[in-house]
Amino acid sequence: MQRIEILNYPIGEQLWDLQWGFRIDGTDLRVHAAEATRDLWRQELEDEEPAEEEHFLLTQHDGLALSEVGDSVRHFLGDPAPEFVDPSSCATPVLGCSCGLWGCWPLLTVIATTSETVTWSSFRQPFRREWGELAMGPYVFARSAYEDALTEPTRLAADPLRTPGKVTL
């Protein structure tokens, strides 16, 4: 099983508005998404310098705003509000777009639960259906630890991937 850390951190400089973030086995979910989409993006993007490419990959997604998600327990246990469900796959967004609008460039996953586990699988980008299922997961978490992390997320003072002026791993 994987270990999940559920995070809350400010949206940009807006210290009053927080977003959800995740680390799986110590690695930010956005890093997993960057690795899963790297070769797919290379087919679409013009030649870029390695640093520019890395910045683009790591900033393609951001967290979901707490104010948007509403009932986070239901959402992250696979029963989101109807406006969040992808009708073709019944998938739930776990990351949004870095522009601040979750629906602009979401990372979707199917969240399945049992009494013992929570599983994230079938990661997709709905605006690139031709990419199919991304090479991420499935990630299986112990349900009790997952629910504990969800009800008591780690509060960070800033986005864990960004420092002023640069993106870091």
Side-chain angles (χ1 to χ4, degrees):
M1 279 194 212
Q2 282 77 40
R3 180 178 48 86
I4 191 164
E5 295 172 76
I6 300 179
L7 313 170
N8 288 159
Y9 52 89
I11 297 172
E13 301 299 317
Q14 302 172 12
L15 300 179
W16 65 90
D17 200 3
L18 301 176
Q19 60 189 331
W20 293 100
F22 307 93
R23 287 187 190 128
I24 298 174
D25 293 334
T27 301
D28 195 290
L29 183 60
R30 293 170 293 176
V31 174
H32 289 288
E35 290 302 317
T37 59
R38 183 179 309 281
D39 290 337
L40 298 165
W41 276 119
R42 284 186 178 147
Q43 297 171 23
E44 294 186 30
L45 299 175
E46 295 182 25
D47 294 332
E48 291 192 30
E49 295 295 319
E52 291 171 344
E53 177 182 286
E54 196 64 18
H55 181 269
F56 171 80
L57 290 169
L58 290 172
T59 60
Q60 67 181 310
H61 293 291
D62 218 338
L64 298 174
L66 271 66
S67 59
E68 285 185 315
V69 170
D71 187 341
S72 58
V73 173
R74 286 186 60 191
H75 184 96
F76 294 115
L77 285 174
D79 185 24
E83 63 269 21
F84 283 103
V85 178
D86 178 55
S88 65
S89 64
C90 296
T92 300
V94 289
L95 292 176
C97 183
S98 59
C99 77
L101 300 173
W102 77 267
C104 181
W105 190 251
L107 178 65
L108 304 176
T109 189
V110 173
I111 301 174
T113 61
T114 70
S115 60
E116 300 292 319
T117 63
V118 176
T119 302
W120 290 8
S121 63
S122 302
F123 287 87
R124 294 187 180 278
Q125 182 12 268
F127 299 113
R128 292 294 191 283
R129 296 216 185 267
E130 67 275 14
W131 287 1
E133 188 174 321
L134 299 176
M136 294 175 66
Y139 303 118
V140 181
F141 312 106
R143 184 166 180 158
S144 61
Y146 183 95
E147 288 182 348
D148 288 348
L150 184 56
T151 57
E152 294 186 32
T154 302
R155 175 79 185 266
L156 302 176
D159 183 328
L161 287 187
R162 295 185 179 120
T163 57
K166 70 177 193 173
V167 175
T168 59
L169 287 176

